[in-house]
Amino acid sequence: MEDIWQSAMDHAVAVARKAGQVVREAAGVVRADAVMVKSSPIDLVTQTDQQVEKLIIGALKSQFPTHCFIGEESVSAGDDCSLTCAPTWIIDPIDGTTNFVHTFPFVAVSIGFAVDKQVEFGVVYSCLRDEMFTARRGKGAFCDGRPLRVSPRKDIRQAVVATEFGSNRDAAALDKIFASLRRVVDIPVHGVRGAGSAAINMCLVASGCVEAYYEIGIHVWDVAAGSLIVSEAGGVLMDVQGGPLDLMSRRVLATNNRNIAERLVREIDAFSVRRDDDHASS
Ligand code: IPD
Ligand code: CA
């Protein structure tokens, strides 16, 4: 069958590279007073996030004017966030905005593309490190053209687990986040890490550098591209309570194998957050 989305993916890679160059040039020169906040004082956004999202969506729309778009900053500005069966681009112009503001070197441009609610390809450009992660459904995952494979470790006690605190400082949520963390540390695992970018955490799972990544509170644009990179590298995706990953649920568990996923499901004190596609007014 003809690979109808390959040229779209090639275009996405070129756009991500261009966007990443803008992010790279802006990193380190963000003035403190140019940093704005969104849902909470630690949910940061800069003009670069907004400018780069416009650049990406403009470049993709010029080639694919009939497609749908979900972009973090467009949704923040009031655009709809529904994943339908239509071809849909899912974009985070800067995943790791806090890292970007502080020049902590894990900052990604993330572009996923879904059809029938299934991710067809994912592009994560780790722009400060100049690493291009890509995956095409059924065709493997790559970093700069090198095939990626998840870690072969089977024993959770030899695992490194990535997770994040996110930007939710609600006391009940924090209690659960810390309770889960305590249980994971106490297994004991080899270590707990966090890159500060959901997309890059997922690429670390795909690269075999960490065995697992979980988080509650991420958004569809943080994980759409990365989810395919994990599965195409041989990894497993789940909801944090088990069962299939739901991209709009704002919860993710990505691991190198099913045993480690199922063990983490037992340790994670799960909670629900408002879904990305919940349109009820707040
Ligand atoms: C955030 C990063 C961070 C994760 C947050 C995300 P942003 O994305 O991925 O690692 O902990 O949940 O929202 O805001 O930098 O695009
Ligand atoms: Ca972002």
Side-chain angles (χ1 to χ4, degrees):
M1 200 178 89
E2 196 200 350
D3 188 355
I4 55 169
W5 299 124
Q6 189 56 48
S7 68
M9 178 166 166
D10 295 343
H11 187 54
V13 169
V15 170
R17 208 178 279 289
K18 202 167 167 185
Q21 190 184 337
V22 175
V23 176
R24 196 163 47 238
E25 283 165 7
V29 294
V30 189
R31 287 178 22 201
D33 60 2
V35 179
M36 299 163 278
V37 299
K38 296 196 285 188
S39 63
S40 76
I42 37 109
D43 183 9
L44 310 183
V45 63
T46 69
Q47 274 182 2
T48 308
D49 296 69
Q50 295 161 344
Q51 175 202 343
V52 171
E53 180 157 319
K54 282 201 182 92
L55 182 160
I56 295 170
I57 293 184
L60 296 174
K61 250 189 193 156
S62 69
Q63 297 275 316
F64 306 101
T66 61
H67 288 182
C68 298
F69 290 84
I70 295 174
E72 174 169 14
E73 307 314 331
S74 310
V75 170
S76 260
D79 276 14
D80 184 36
C81 184
S82 301
L83 185 59
T84 66
C85 291
T88 304
W89 296 87
I90 305 166
I91 297 150
D92 191 341
I94 302 184
D95 185 47
T97 299
T98 305
N99 289 353
F100 167 71
V101 166
H102 291 266
T103 57
F104 192 75
F106 300 108
V107 176
V109 174
S110 177
I111 303 179
F113 179 72
V115 181
D116 288 329
K117 301 187 181 182
Q118 189 171 41
V119 182
E120 283 292 331
F121 59 79
V123 175
V124 171
Y125 182 42
S126 179
C127 49
L128 301 191
R129 292 170 50 85
D130 188 22
E131 289 178 324
M132 182 67 77
F133 295 89
T134 55
R136 171 85 176 84
R137 191 159 66 86
K139 295 190 185 298
F142 300 86
C143 177
D144 295 331
R146 281 177 289 106
L148 296 176
R149 203 66 205 160
V150 292
S151 155
R153 286 194 175 85
K154 290 194 167 57
D155 185 346
I156 185 103
R157 290 167 304 174
Q158 292 174 6
V160 172
V161 177
T163 191
E164 303 280 343
F165 301 110
S167 54
N168 188 347
R169 294 296 178 267
D170 168 72
L174 275 185
D175 283 348
K176 286 181 178 284
I177 289 168
F178 279 100
S180 304
L181 198 55
R182 194 193 187 295
R183 291 167 64 129
V184 170
V185 169
D186 202 34
I187 287 174
V189 293
H190 268 183
V192 173
R193 302 285 185 271
S197 155
I200 291 179
N201 284 326
M202 295 185 93
C203 291
L204 291 170
V205 174
S207 306
C209 304
V210 304
E211 279 64 36
Y213 161 60
Y214 72 89
E215 186 171 350
I216 300 175
I218 45 79
H219 294 274
V220 61
W221 44 80
D222 297 317
V223 293
S227 65
L228 190 70
I229 294 170
V230 169
S231 59
E232 287 296 323
V236 170
L237 295 160
M238 273 190 197
D239 177 64
V240 291
Q241 282 183 298
L245 173 71
D246 173 349
L247 281 176
M248 301 306 262
S249 71
R250 303 187 53 201
R251 315 194 314 177
V252 68
L253 171 60
T255 66
N256 62 330
N257 65 50
R258 192 158 287 276
N259 282 350
I260 287 186
E262 285 168 355
R263 177 62 197 269
L264 286 172
V265 164
R266 297 212 304 273
E267 306 301 343
I268 296 170
D269 200 350
F271 58 96
S272 296
V273 282
R274 186 171 167 175
R275 294 175 58 85
D276 277 330
D277 55 3
D278 178 352
H279 296 118
S281 56
S282 41

